[in-house]
Amino acid sequence: MTSVSLVLLLLLCSYHSFVARAGNEQSYKVLDLNPSRAVCSEPNATIPSSSDGTSSVTLSHRYGPCSPADPNSGEKRSTDEELLRRDQLRADYIRRKFSGSNGTAAGEDGQSSKVSVPTTLGSSLDTLEYVISVGLGSPALTQRVVIDTGSDVSWVQCEPCPAPSPCHAHAGALFDPAASSTYAAFNCSAAECAQLGDSGEANGCDAKSRCQYIVKYGDGSNTTGTYSSDVLTLSGSDVVRGFQFGCSHAELGAGMDDKTDGLIGLGGDAQSLVSQTAARYGKSFSYCLPATPASSGFLTLGAPASGGGGGASRFATTPMLRSKKVPTYYFAALEDIAVGGKKLGLSPSVFAAGSLVDSGTVITRLPPAAYAALSSAFRAGMTRYARAEPLGILDTCFNFTGLDKVSIPTVALVFAGGAVVDLDAHGIVSGGCLAFAPTRDDKAFGTIGNVQQRTFEVLYDVGGGVFGFRAGAC
Ligand SMILES: *[C@@H]1O[C@H](CO)[C@@H](O)[C@H](O)[C@H]1NC(C)=O
Ligand SMILES: *[C@@H]1O[C@H](CO)[C@@H](O)[C@H](O)[C@H]1NC(C)=O
Ligand SMILES: *[C@@H]1O[C@H](CO)[C@@H](O)[C@H](O)[C@H]1NC(C)=O
Ligand SMILES: *[C@@H]1O[C@H](CO)[C@@H](O)[C@H](O)[C@H]1NC(C)=O
Ligand SMILES: *[C@@H]1O[C@H](CO)[C@@H](O)[C@H](O)[C@H]1NC(C)=O
């Protein structure tokens, strides 16, 4: 053996032992603590082109520079603590919707009929952080609306407003039904009006026999007006004719002071945009929430075709679970968590109540046993950083003062069927804290929040009963 090949052999041996050792160590991700905030770095290329069977629109953070509203329009962003407080209100509220049915979401037998409870938003409306721009009416008027997988009835503020009660502040043009040639109000005998009654959102008739709706939120605020239909323009020539929505003439309550024009409901019940467009888009949609407010993502109606660039084969998939009593919500079965590349080895029974997947909950909630194990393993990989005081519901916090980049253990969510969702660094740590919190008790279902969903294309194939996660989509 020549000395050169001996050296090579030694190098190969040491390389092998290095790899073996690395396999036993934690794997890390680098988190950039100072991403650019001032300008919108819009990765237009990542917005899927609308094609046969799908329509895509740009989605942005409500307060980010990519938001279609003037970022200097004076919108006040809540503090982190206030946002976390509202996030807890939303989580508690969704939980209450299930009490009485005593349903854990997964495996619920669902014998009785649907329960009628108010929808989830209210003062937690502020946790709905992502907006899209759509056109409404003919000619189309641009409306900036928040998207919400946790509610069904869509609504926009309409003229006359206020009449007689005040509407909430809005940045865009007010939708005027009289100015749209395709607008129609539902009369009280229409099936669409009767359907509102099924979910407790009917509000009688006005003097002209027009169907009145009400959406009540968790904090007592509400939106009321006329249930209507008009043309909804998504991108370019993609239009939804006869789109049903609430033409809101009054929004009352503390939760209603944001400056968006309305809301698009993406829940699973009959009134949602997803259900309304089932024939066309197969009751399927996906979105990508950007890593930071300074970039944009997308919302797509319809499932990506299998194969090809953004094709269905590139998604890690897991079954979608639904509750018959509260059909709005979409659940997945989380089974374990991996920290630094190693599974915690949690018993699947820990997650027996299921995990709600929600665009409007910020922080992921885990059963206390799972949270404790995650926090402990994460802290073990963070010993080089000093601990910091808890921030609201977040108790695993670090002092990153003076640092531009930090190295954090990877965290992956492992779902039923083996789907491994290896979170983006911005989906692990937020505001210097591990962005997870425990539920109030072990029997409560958990929630996969929007922080953890960042940069993934999250596919809700409601028709097929499948969730998909595609990494690095925006
Ligand atoms: C992204 O798209 C917007 C409009 O959709 C356009 O104004 C902007 O120039 C595009 N940016 C790039 C980098 O192509
Ligand atoms: C729901 O479950 C709890 C404990 O699991 C029980 O105490 C309560 O009585 C149940 N409520 C109903 C309405 O079945
Ligand atoms: C209400 O709408 C239904 C169905 O579109 C129609 O048959 C009925 O005549 C309408 N009633 C009134 C009072 O306009
Ligand atoms: C709507 O909200 C206002 C303000 O919070 C409240 O006074 C009113 O009672 C609410 N209406 C209903 C029907 O809940
Ligand atoms: C964080 O660390 C910095 C410098 O390392 C120190 O000055 C500061 O007091 C620490 N803050 C807290 C809250 O511990």
Side-chain angles (χ1 to χ4, degrees), residues 52 122 163 285 384 419:
D52 277 355
F285 68 99
R384 80 196 78 173

Side-chain angles (χ1 to χ4, degrees), residues 28-334:
Y28 286 85
K29 284 196 174 182
V30 172
L31 175 66
D32 185 352
L33 295 171
N34 294 309
S36 67
R37 284 175 209 287
V39 292
C40 174
S41 55
E42 203 165 354
N44 289 7
T46 66
I47 296 162
S49 58
S50 297
S51 58
D52 277 355
T54 67
S55 292
S56 295
V57 293
T58 303
L59 169 151
S60 20
H61 196 283
R62 201 138 65 88
Y63 301 108
C66 295
S67 166
D70 177 1
N72 302 316
S73 65
E75 275 187 79
K76 257 199 339 245
R77 166 147 216 194
S78 3
T79 62
D80 284 351
E81 266 138 328
E82 177 60 11
L83 185 65
L84 292 172
R85 196 185 65 76
R86 291 179 174 190
D87 200 38
Q88 189 58 44
L89 284 179
R90 180 175 171 105
D92 290 346
Y93 195 77
I94 295 176
R95 176 88 202 279
R96 281 207 302 279
K97 287 192 78 159
F98 282 87
S99 65
S101 78
N102 227 7
T104 58
E108 179 209 335
D109 59 7
Q111 294 303 311
S112 56
S113 60
K114 292 193 294 189
V115 288
S116 285
V117 269
T119 193
T120 48
L121 313 176
S123 64
S124 45
L125 198 65
D126 208 39
T127 67
L128 291 170
E129 298 185 289
Y130 297 97
V131 296
I132 58 171
S133 286
V134 295
L136 188 64
S138 308
L141 182 74
T142 298
Q143 297 281 279
R144 192 173 69 120
V145 291
V146 296
I147 61 156
D148 184 20
T149 59
S151 63
D152 298 296
V153 172
S154 303
W155 56 269
V156 301
Q157 295 197 105
C158 286
E159 291 275 18
C161 198
S165 324
C167 294
H168 77 263
H170 59 99
L174 198 55
F175 179 73
D176 182 0
S180 171
S181 62
T182 42
Y183 173 87
F186 286 110
N187 76 33
C188 284
S189 51
E192 290 82 356
C193 193
Q195 198 177 59
L196 283 178
D198 291 345
S199 51
E201 281 152 342
N203 196 30
C205 291
D206 71 1
K208 293 175 183 161
S209 291
R210 292 179 307 190
C211 179
Q212 302 297 294
Y213 81 96
I214 180 164
V215 182
K216 294 180 199 162
Y217 299 111
D219 63 348
S221 59
N222 49 65
T223 155
T224 60
T226 302
Y227 203 54
S228 312
S229 72
D230 208 335
V231 174
L232 178 73
T233 304
L234 298 165
S235 53
S237 56
D238 283 318
V239 299
V240 176
R241 289 179 206 290
F243 167 62
Q244 299 158 30
F245 67 100
C247 205
S248 174
H249 297 298
E251 289 120 43
L252 296 167
M256 295 295 186
D257 56 358
D258 81 329
K259 287 195 179 172
T260 55
D261 298 316
L263 177 147
I264 294 279
L266 295 173
D269 211 351
Q271 298 85 8
S272 78
L273 179 60
V274 184
S275 299
Q276 287 185 38
T277 57
R280 176 140 160 222
Y281 297 114
K283 233 178 168 195
S284 183
F285 68 99
S286 65
Y287 55 67
C288 187
L289 310 178
T292 71
S295 54
S296 57
F298 58 84
L299 169 74
T300 298
L301 294 179
S306 45
S313 59
R314 294 181 55 197
F315 286 84
T317 59
T318 189
M320 175 184 283
L321 309 168
R322 305 278 301 287
S323 156
K324 290 195 180 81
K325 288 168 188 158
V326 191
T328 302
Y329 301 113
Y330 306 112
F331 289 85
L334 188 60

